[in-house]
Amino acid sequence: MCANAEPLAVPFRRAHPSVSQGPAPRSLAIGLIGPGQVGQAFLRQVRAAQGTLRRTRGVDLHMVAALGRQRMWWDVDDAQWQAAPDRTQVWRPSDPVAFLDHVQASGSQAVLVDCSASDAVPDQYAHWLHRGIHVVTPNKRAGSGPLHRWEAIQAASRHGGHFRYEATVGAGLPVVQTLRDLLDTGDDLHTIEGMLSGTLAWLCYHHDGSHPFSEWVRQAHTLGYTEPDPRDDLSGMDVARKLVILAREAGWALSLNDVQVESLVPSELANVEKEMFFKRLPELDAAMADRLAQADAQGGVLRHVASLDPQGRARVRLQVVPADHAFAHSRQTDNVVQFTTRRYADNPLVIQGPGAGADVTAAGIFADVLRLVDRPSPMA
Amino acid sequence: MCANAEPLAVPFRRAHPSVSQGPAPRSLAIGLIGPGQVGQAFLRQVRAAQGTLRRTRGVDLHMVAALGRQRMWWDVDDAQWQAAPDRTQVWRPSDPVAFLDHVQASGSQAVLVDCSASDAVPDQYAHWLHRGIHVVTPNKRAGSGPLHRWEAIQAASRHGGHFRYEATVGAGLPVVQTLRDLLDTGDDLHTIEGMLSGTLAWLCYHHDGSHPFSEWVRQAHTLGYTEPDPRDDLSGMDVARKLVILAREAGWALSLNDVQVESLVPSELANVEKEMFFKRLPELDAAMADRLAQADAQGGVLRHVASLDPQGRARVRLQVVPADHAFAHSRQTDNVVQFTTRRYADNPLVIQGPGAGADVTAAGIFADVLRLVDRPSPMA
């Protein structure tokens, strides 16, 4: 494969396989930041799909490097990868500057995929974009963090690399791109309503009065459906972050503290130790039983809903939805997002499916990465 | 705005507005074929959105020409357009060759948008793509017509212009792109199931036994929900065309006659005059009442479903779906498409919403057109 590779001045630059027929493939060098569960899944997906993509789409993807907090690797070709799946012999101490230079030098187009949950990495996005490097991320921090940082990133992306973040909302579900298409084609957004937490969807789905709410929380925790500390789900803050991302996409200069968030965690339990929280979990039950009874009385069902209204008001709360509402039929841990617009006024546009998990999140990242290269070649 | 335009050698080339700051916008010349209802809606949407797109996305769209069967126009700028909305003074006799040359000469990137329902226009796609011109279409003929033509178009699109056809299935709903992303990122498709006809969805939704089926057909016809001849809907052939498009996208070399289609039109009514068909419409009622009774007996509901199974078997038929199935909750004329894959195995990925109408179809075309220019600039 490397027989035709020219000697290159740039150190560590990978030889691209020669293409015997057809136009030169569109090539993209990928640097992964945060090789955790999602990062690893993305890496596996790229390695598995790259042969087919080269053949069928003329797209040449190269995983050139991965950067962790303590260590990194680069230039591990497919053969080495197969031979050393745990990569113990390829790691070297982390050096973010060298990592970045290496990724950029590895192709005429490069993308950094930020799979960290760090708030410090997004501080670099604007800089990278200015350098012409694309950024793709499932990290919600940029989209829901400080507005001035978000605006700097957006400004940089207009003049340099592209910034994509489909996987921040609904993982692999096509939510952000669909919203962008609606707006770019001149539709007017009326409302966005979403069930954006698989955990809270599951809890609402099961909480039917047969058992106290706290038991469902414990079961969800045991099944691995919640964060290690379930308050990270119950607080609604993760959902609020997703809503801020969608609201900004829709043109509203919102921040997290503009969202009216109803936490399911009573304030007196918000700051106790995790063990104490689990012990006192039944303190949630009476209020939740009341809410359920209210929903029953109205002939509806209780759902955890994020909404953005036409005035840009963003809310995250338990809500009674009518029995014929799309949210009433949600399945298990499904996410559901519903866009009501001028064109989709009577019946909204609805996207539904699993909205969390390493594989579908990685697929959302991967689709964003493909959008960077799945583009026309210049006219003949 | 035209002060900086250079004198150009190419006749009829439109002057692009100068951009005072930021990178040069990515520019695209658009030629419209078939200025009917959908084509006109597309044209209106582009004219309404182009200013915003230039500002926010750095994308410069130019509607440079439109070609009808008898007449065409080109080089009508925005001011002329506003002044002469019916364009009577700008039409000239159709000349497809001059039209094509003009569109291609009008920008470094050009796209032909085929809004005709013609089977002859798709014969030209491969030729245009080879010339480096992109093709975007809601016309189902290419995707569901002769396989050899489809393959020639696909081959041409790998080496020249891009070919996109999101609006052929579900109008503006992101169906084709979602399927493509699933497959490109290495997911394995298990099944596609779809309610792909708004008309048949509406008929199934309302046909509850309170009135004979034929009365619902008459009402749908009166409301404009059916084709002028309702047999074009009831035959299931339009749905079969959409299924062929999705099956080919999924890698199956299917043609229309490979699809097992259950027509709701009895064979003895298939070829009678339209007036006679309407007169004899009640002949459909007994069979439909039977089907409904069977569904009731099974505790399910009757839906018109297109399906592609893991063996590539394509079917279009009335089907009993369980009461908790996504299709049981479909609203009015909604389309619903559900992808079950390796990653979306337990819960499928579902897309739902209105799947017909000039505005949403035009929006689907428009999103495809944006995909041609919404792409990275080269690295700085």
Side-chain angles (χ1 to χ4, degrees):
Chain A
M1 297 235 308
C2 299
N4 295 337
E6 295 170 43
L8 292 157
V10 185
F12 302 114
R13 179 156 176 169
R14 300 189 67 205
H16 292 195
S18 63
V19 175
S20 59
Q21 54 178 19
R26 292 177 293 275
S27 163
L28 185 69
I30 306 172
L32 172 66
I33 298 170
Q37 230 189 334
V38 169
Q40 297 284 349
F42 171 65
L43 213 147
R44 274 195 307 274
Q45 288 181 8
V46 170
R47 297 227 175 228
Q50 60 195 167
T52 307
L53 284 168
R54 192 177 299 131
R55 221 169 39 246
T56 62
R57 298 271 178 235
V59 159
D60 217 357
L61 301 181
H62 298 276
M63 287 291 322
V64 295
L67 176 73
R69 213 167 302 174
Q70 308 293 339
R71 52 188 197 162
M72 66 181 190
W73 58 256
W74 62 36
D75 281 324
V76 182
D77 70 19
D78 281 350
Q80 283 176 280
W81 189 263
Q82 300 300 341
D86 64 354
R87 300 171 315 284
T88 40
Q89 57 276 66
V90 301
W91 290 103
R92 55 182 87 188
S94 277
D95 178 345
V97 174
F99 167 83
L100 180 65
D101 287 344
H102 176 62
V103 172
Q104 185 159 27
S106 296
S108 61
Q109 297 273 339
V111 59
L112 290 170
V113 174
D114 173 19
C115 290
S116 77
S118 155
D119 196 61
V121 180
D123 284 343
Q124 305 302 315
Y125 290 177
H127 170 62
W128 297 338
L129 294 166
H130 274 303
R131 280 179 66 168
I133 302 171
H134 310 300
V135 177
V136 169
T137 189
N139 182 343
K140 289 184 277 286
R141 294 285 162 166
S144 62
L147 200 56
H148 63 88
R149 183 173 69 183
W150 173 252
E151 284 165 351
I153 292 168
Q154 291 297 324
S157 77
R158 273 194 287 278
H159 299 266
H162 272 214
F163 176 46
R164 302 190 63 94
Y165 40 91
E166 179 62 83
T168 56
V169 183
L173 303 176
V175 175
V176 175
Q177 182 66 56
T178 298
L179 174 57
R180 190 175 302 160
D181 282 339
L182 290 170
L183 298 169
D184 279 349
T185 63
D187 205 349
D188 293 321
L189 185 68
H190 297 170
T191 61
I192 302 175
E193 294 163 285
M195 292 176 58
L196 301 179
S197 158
T199 312
L200 291 162
W202 189 90
L203 288 171
C204 287
Y205 178 86
H206 285 280
H207 180 229
D208 57 359
S210 62
H211 300 271
F213 184 69
S214 58
E215 286 188 22
W216 293 116
V217 176
R218 279 188 217 281
Q219 190 174 336
H221 186 256
T222 306
L223 290 168
Y225 289 170
T226 70
E227 295 294 320
D229 187 333
R231 285 174 292 189
D232 291 341
D233 301 296
L234 296 168
S235 71
M237 288 314 287
D238 187 60
V239 170
R241 284 191 181 279
K242 295 176 187 175
L243 186 58
V244 168
I245 291 169
L246 293 179
R248 289 181 182 175
E249 192 66 41
W252 295 99
L254 288 194
S255 290
L256 209 46
N257 54 18
D258 297 315
V259 185
Q260 240 178 278
V261 186
E262 173 191 21
S263 174
L264 303 190
V265 183
S267 56
E268 58 274 23
L269 295 187
N271 298 308
V272 302
E273 291 294 311
K274 190 165 78 170
E275 288 66 35
M276 181 55 75
F277 172 70
F278 271 105
K279 204 171 152 190
R280 294 176 60 183
L281 202 50
E283 294 178 28
L284 277 67
D285 292 337
M288 288 300 293
D290 275 357
R291 299 294 290 269
L292 189 63
Q294 286 166 25
D296 282 346
Q298 294 174 46
V301 297
L302 204 56
R303 291 291 182 259
H304 190 266
V305 177
S307 62
L308 179 76
D309 73 12
Q311 287 73 44
R313 193 169 43 162
R315 289 197 291 195
V316 172
R317 57 184 170 153
L318 280 179
Q319 197 178 317
V320 180
V321 302
D324 63 350
H325 192 281
F327 294 174
H329 309 299
S330 72
R331 293 155 306 184
Q332 300 283 348
T333 57
D334 267 7
N335 280 202
V336 194
V337 181
Q338 137 164 342
F339 298 108
T340 308
T341 70
R342 189 181 76 250
R343 292 183 198 138
Y344 295 97
D346 297 329
N347 286 6
L349 192 168
V350 183
I351 294 158
Q352 174 167 351
D359 268 345
V360 291
T361 305
I365 299 165
F366 199 168
D368 265 354
V369 165
L370 286 174
R371 214 64 82 242
L372 301 173
V373 276
D374 182 22
R375 60 201 177 84
S377 28
M379 268 178 32
Chain B
M1 296 241 298
C2 300
N4 295 334
E6 296 169 43
L8 291 157
V10 185
F12 302 114
R13 179 158 178 164
R14 301 188 66 202
H16 292 193
S18 63
V19 175
S20 60
Q21 54 178 17
R26 292 178 293 275
S27 164
L28 185 69
I30 305 172
L32 172 66
I33 299 170
Q37 228 189 334
V38 169
Q40 297 283 350
F42 171 67
L43 213 147
R44 275 194 307 274
Q45 288 181 7
V46 170
R47 299 231 173 224
Q50 59 194 169
T52 308
L53 284 169
R54 192 177 299 128
R55 221 168 40 246
T56 62
R57 299 269 179 236
V59 160
D60 217 357
L61 300 182
H62 298 276
M63 286 292 321
V64 295
L67 175 73
R69 214 168 300 173
Q70 309 292 337
R71 52 188 197 162
M72 65 180 191
W73 59 256
W74 62 35
D75 282 323
V76 182
D77 70 20
D78 281 350
Q80 283 177 278
W81 190 262
Q82 301 298 343
D86 65 354
R87 298 171 317 286
T88 40
Q89 56 276 66
V90 301
W91 291 104
R92 56 182 87 187
S94 276
D95 178 344
V97 173
F99 167 84
L100 180 66
D101 287 344
H102 176 64
V103 172
Q104 184 158 28
S106 295
S108 61
Q109 298 271 340
V111 60
L112 290 170
V113 174
D114 173 19
C115 291
S116 78
S118 156
D119 196 61
V121 180
D123 285 343
Q124 305 301 316
Y125 290 178
H127 170 63
W128 297 337
L129 294 166
H130 274 302
R131 280 178 67 166
I133 303 170
H134 309 301
V135 176
V136 169
T137 188
N139 182 343
K140 288 184 278 289
R141 295 286 162 168
S144 62
L147 200 56
H148 63 88
R149 182 172 70 183
W150 174 251
E151 283 164 352
I153 293 167
Q154 291 296 325
S157 77
R158 274 193 289 276
H159 299 265
H162 272 214
F163 175 47
R164 302 189 64 95
Y165 40 92
E166 179 63 84
T168 54
V169 183
L173 303 177
V175 174
V176 175
Q177 183 65 57
T178 298
L179 174 57
R180 191 176 300 163
D181 281 341
L182 290 171
L183 297 170
D184 279 350
T185 62
D187 205 349
D188 293 320
L189 185 68
H190 296 169
T191 62
I192 302 174
E193 295 162 284
M195 292 176 57
L196 302 178
S197 158
T199 312
L200 291 164
W202 189 91
L203 288 171
C204 287
Y205 178 86
H206 285 280
H207 178 229
D208 57 359
S210 64
H211 300 272
F213 185 71
S214 58
E215 286 189 22
W216 293 115
V217 175
R218 279 188 216 281
Q219 190 174 334
H221 186 257
T222 306
L223 291 168
Y225 289 169
T226 70
E227 296 293 321
D229 186 334
R231 284 174 293 188
D232 291 341
D233 300 298
L234 296 169
S235 70
M237 289 314 288
D238 188 59
V239 170
R241 285 193 180 279
K242 295 175 187 175
L243 187 58
V244 168
I245 291 169
L246 293 179
R248 288 181 182 175
E249 192 65 42
W252 295 98
L254 288 193
S255 290
L256 209 46
N257 53 18
D258 297 315
V259 184
Q260 241 179 276
V261 186
E262 174 191 21
S263 174
L264 303 190
V265 183
S267 55
E268 59 273 23
L269 296 186
N271 298 309
V272 301
E273 291 294 312
K274 192 165 78 171
E275 288 64 36
M276 181 54 74
F277 172 71
F278 272 106
K279 203 171 154 192
R280 294 177 61 184
L281 202 48
E283 293 178 27
L284 277 66
D285 292 338
M288 288 300 293
D290 275 355
R291 299 294 290 269
L292 189 63
Q294 286 166 25
D296 282 346
Q298 294 174 45
V301 297
L302 205 55
R303 292 289 182 260
H304 190 266
V305 177
S307 61
L308 180 74
D309 73 12
Q311 287 73 45
R313 194 170 40 167
R315 290 195 291 196
V316 173
R317 56 184 169 153
L318 280 179
Q319 197 179 315
V320 180
V321 303
D324 63 351
H325 192 282
F327 294 174
H329 309 298
S330 72
R331 292 156 307 186
Q332 301 283 349
T333 56
D334 268 6
N335 279 202
V336 194
V337 181
Q338 143 164 334
F339 298 108
T340 309
T341 69
R342 191 182 73 250
R343 293 182 198 137
Y344 295 97
D346 297 331
N347 286 8
L349 192 168
V350 183
I351 294 158
Q352 175 167 351
D359 269 345
V360 290
T361 304
I365 299 166
F366 199 169
D368 265 353
V369 165
L370 287 174
R371 214 63 85 243
L372 301 174
V373 277
D374 181 23
R375 62 204 174 84
S377 27
M379 270 176 33

